[in-house]
Amino acid sequence: MQFDLLLKGGRLIDPASGLDAPRDLAITNGRIAAIDADIPFERAARVIDASGSIVAPGLIDLHSHVYWGGTSLGVDADRLAARSGTTTFIDAGSAGAGNILGFRRHVIERSKVRILAYVNISFAGIFGFSHSVAVGECSDLRLCEPRETVAAVREHADVVVGVKVRSGRHAGGTSGIAPVDLALEAADQAGLPLMAHIDEPPPGRSEVLPRLRKGDILTHCFRPFPNAPVFASGAVRPDMRLARERGVIFDIGHGMGSFDFEVAKAMLKEGLAPDVISSDVHLYCVDGPAFDILVCMSKLLALGMPLVEVLRAATQRPAAAIARPHLGTLKVGGVGDVAVLRLRSGSFTFVDSLGAALVAEQRLVSDGIVIGGTWWPNEAADDLSDTERFEAHARHSHVEVAARHFGHSHD
Ligand SMILES: [Zn+2]
């Protein structure tokens, strides 16, 4: 058999199947055609040298904002895909029932990379979000209409994976817990999971978390004080343990204001690693502190999470959360979405949402991705050395963060 594409000589890590071994991987007609210890060069029309690299399922960013041009916070998914190893972006409620058709027609259907979406319980989606504008989409309950949400879910069932709600005083003003209850009712009626964002209380996590069902997602799970999942002592709050036992999915959703190294250290120390690592990438954090899913994964790696678990949290777990397990694994006959990654050694300074720095000796970088069988190299791999990029960010982030602390954007 002749193959279209051969990734040769890589270390294949597929957490879902438990495989971590040197393997060649061949793709034909957009599907994985063979995984073997040695597939000869001459059997493929195109060969990519993956020696020294990790061949993994294409990364799935469970929380991103990619309604580019249609919302102020949207980034261009196609521009970010190869750089971040991402083959599937899940947009977390940028669009609501009132504008998901535009998102679908103008972005999802035109993108080379795969895009799926949570529909916002708010009819208008996230419509007022920038450094200087902050009008929460749940601050007027007239916008939270479960019937409209369920109708949109059904009309776009092929691309919709759940319902999104942003609760908290920034996203919901004085609405309290009501947006969460309305979103839960819509999710129940639609038969899909709910992704719940928390920011600053009210409502606090202690009101939101007990409402979430098995398979629902708490995003911003490692957010800083106030509304952090740990006490000041570092002890994990009991409602987090109860939620994990019940099967609520903990998702990082790093973003601009939602990841705290100290919280992450405390959670990991007590055995509560995140289920899913996502970036919450949007226009106001794509140049730091979140950057993209690979940077977020590198931070968890630097905090001591094992490489295979970091990869699992960006492949198998998000695929399960969206009930599309075939996207998060590498199987013969399966979809040909692959990430070719490298562990680069050096000195890298990572920064969290509070401006705290963490120095690491390695980070993940992307050589490129395969989407639907087509090789898509990361052209930007050597634009700026990683050390320069992170140190530049670390230098000016302290100034920015001071301003941000008293600002109003908390995603
Ligand atoms: Zn978000």
Side-chain angles (χ1 to χ4, degrees):
M1 182 179 180
Q2 191 70 13
F3 303 117
D4 296 339
L5 184 69
L6 173 61
L7 303 175
K8 186 144 184 73
R11 171 185 174 191
L12 194 150
I13 305 181
D14 179 21
S17 68
L19 187 64
D20 179 357
R23 287 285 186 277
D24 295 347
L25 183 147
I27 292 174
T28 293
N29 294 328
R31 303 221 152 245
I32 297 170
I35 296 173
D36 218 320
D38 184 25
I39 302 172
F41 286 96
E42 55 274 16
R43 292 187 61 193
R46 184 165 189 198
V47 180
I48 304 296
D49 179 9
S51 54
S53 296
I54 295 164
V55 174
L59 304 182
I60 302 168
D61 196 341
L62 189 70
H63 185 159
S64 66
H65 292 281
V66 294
Y67 190 175
W68 184 86
T71 54
S72 56
L73 76 166
V75 294
D76 184 341
D78 277 352
R79 285 190 64 186
L80 201 57
R83 165 185 128 183
S84 61
T86 310
T87 53
T88 301
F89 287 91
I90 318 290
D91 185 277
S94 297
N99 53 356
I100 189 162
L101 180 59
F103 183 29
R104 181 190 186 114
R105 190 72 49 82
H106 304 309
V107 176
I108 295 176
E109 290 176 3
R110 287 161 185 253
S111 294
K112 288 200 277 181
V113 68
R114 191 188 311 278
I115 298 175
L116 301 166
Y118 290 92
V119 178
N120 202 309
I121 185 62
S122 180
F123 189 70
I126 303 175
F127 63 84
F129 186 103
S130 81
H131 280 307
S132 49
V133 173
V135 182
E137 73 275 11
C138 287
S139 58
D140 186 334
L141 286 173
R142 289 175 300 174
L143 290 168
C144 299
E145 219 306 321
R147 278 168 296 212
E148 296 276 5
T149 308
V150 171
V153 167
R154 290 187 176 146
E155 189 181 340
H156 302 284
D158 55 333
V159 294
V160 170
V161 298
V163 175
K164 174 77 186 289
V165 64
R166 296 202 312 142
S167 70
R169 88 185 155 90
H170 297 286
T174 56
S175 297
I177 198 69
V180 175
D181 285 337
L182 291 163
L184 264 173
E185 194 167 352
D188 172 62
Q189 187 72 14
L192 288 175
L194 176 72
M195 177 186 275
H197 144 126
I198 49 168
D199 55 57
E200 295 187 4
R205 193 203 51 266
S206 59
E207 277 185 88
V208 175
L209 212 42
R211 286 169 155 82
L212 300 187
R213 310 158 300 170
K214 178 180 167 64
D216 287 338
I217 297 131
L218 176 75
T219 192
H220 311 317
C221 65
F222 287 6
R223 62 156 287 115
F225 167 86
N227 224 5
V230 296
F231 293 101
S233 66
V236 174
R237 290 178 182 269
D239 56 5
M240 291 297 282
R241 289 198 188 281
L242 290 172
R244 161 126 322 163
E245 285 165 18
R246 211 166 61 246
V248 172
I249 296 166
F250 293 171
D251 169 48
I252 290 292
H254 188 308
M256 191 162 61
S258 305
F259 188 71
D260 180 338
F261 286 144
E262 294 308 316
V263 166
K265 283 179 200 165
M267 291 289 283
L268 291 171
K269 191 176 163 202
E270 301 234 4
L272 277 89
D275 295 298
V276 175
I277 300 172
S278 70
S279 67
D280 187 15
V281 63
H282 55 66
L283 193 64
Y284 306 100
C285 67
V286 68
D287 294 318
F291 292 102
D292 56 43
I293 191 173
L294 266 189
V295 173
C296 299
M297 291 164 71
S298 300
K299 291 179 181 181
L300 270 303
L301 195 63
L303 289 165
M305 216 171 140
L307 175 63
V308 172
E309 295 312 309
V310 166
L311 286 167
R312 191 190 308 280
T315 55
Q316 181 188 5
R317 291 262 177 68
I322 59 170
R324 283 160 174 78
H326 59 285
L327 291 179
T329 188
L330 297 173
K331 282 201 172 74
V332 173
V335 63
D337 284 5
V338 186
V340 181
L341 310 173
R342 225 161 351 109
L343 264 179
R344 186 181 286 177
S345 297
S347 176
F348 309 107
T349 305
F350 296 111
V351 177
D352 70 5
S353 295
L354 300 176
L358 177 72
V359 178
E361 291 177 351
Q362 55 182 7
R363 65 156 304 207
L364 286 161
V365 293
S366 169
D367 287 345
I369 53 179
V370 181
I371 293 188
T374 302
W375 172 243
W376 192 353
N378 175 19
E379 309 283 4
D382 300 311
D383 274 359
L384 180 64
S385 87
D386 296 296
T387 308
E388 283 171 4
R389 187 169 159 224
F390 287 106
E391 286 183 351
H393 177 68
R395 268 198 300 279
H396 75 252
S397 71
H398 293 285
V399 181
E400 276 191 359
V401 165
R404 202 179 302 138
H405 248 140
F406 302 100
H408 36 233
S409 293
H410 288 266
D411 206 333

